[in-house]
Amino acid sequence: MRRTPCRQDTGARPAQPPLPAAACNTRLSRALHRSTIRFAENSTRVAARYQSALANVARVAKRCPHHEIVVNGHADRRGSADANQKLSDARAHAVRSALVDLGVPSGRLSAIGHGALLPLVRTGTKAAFACNRRVDFDVTVSAPHPQ
């Protein structure tokens, strides 16, 4: 009988190979489109229900080394412009930190707060305010670095 040496299972998966650029464009677009993160009023805490969406974004982003992600934070229009700017910036940074914790290189992520300047819904209802308290994403492609 042949024995195989015992190895400690670290739980780590081997790194996946990079995806071709076209596949990155498609997969990142799909993952990011499905990953708008909503926030409670005056909150910067990323709710547990978004962890699987963020894990999916991270999984794809790690395989797309020439794609950079901009994390855009938003606030509803209630409160002062200064408070909404700070809140939206903190939301963007919270999501950026979550992606870094999931293994996305920090140099490929930026976080920008937009305050209440870019609402999805302009009405003054509770539902509209909830829609506007969010983080969404943009992607840019950088030139490959020479080896």
Side-chain angles (χ1 to χ4, degrees):
M1 179 162 69
R2 200 171 154 195
R3 289 187 167 186
T4 56
C6 294
R7 284 183 268 158
Q8 182 178 2
D9 182 6
T10 62
R13 293 182 180 172
Q16 295 290 314
L19 291 169
C24 281
N25 293 339
T26 301
R27 290 187 186 182
L28 269 174
S29 177
R30 190 179 314 133
L32 295 172
H33 178 72
R34 295 177 180 165
S35 300
T36 297
I37 311 296
R38 306 269 184 221
F39 291 85
E41 191 173 337
N42 293 317
S43 176
T44 62
R45 187 180 72 77
V46 179
R49 69 179 174 268
Y50 297 111
Q51 292 308 310
S52 65
L54 288 174
N56 186 47
V57 169
R59 194 171 24 261
V60 176
K62 288 187 283 188
R63 295 189 64 194
C64 299
H66 303 299
H67 288 68
E68 297 173 3
I69 299 173
V70 179
V71 182
N72 298 295
H74 304 275
D76 63 40
R77 69 181 187 201
R78 297 176 292 179
S80 70
D82 184 55
N84 285 336
Q85 181 61 44
K86 288 177 182 172
L87 184 60
S88 66
D89 192 55
R91 287 173 174 161
H93 279 88
V95 171
R96 180 187 181 277
S97 292
L99 290 170
V100 169
D101 290 345
L102 290 166
V104 180
S106 62
R108 293 187 27 233
L109 295 166
S110 58
I112 301 172
H114 297 281
L117 297 176
L118 301 171
L120 283 179
V121 183
R122 295 189 182 276
T123 60
T125 65
K126 285 185 176 190
F129 294 146
C131 286
N132 293 328
R133 295 189 304 264
R134 70 190 192 282
V135 162
D136 54 31
F137 305 91
D138 291 317
V139 177
T140 60
V141 180
S142 60
H145 300 295
Q147 299 285 347

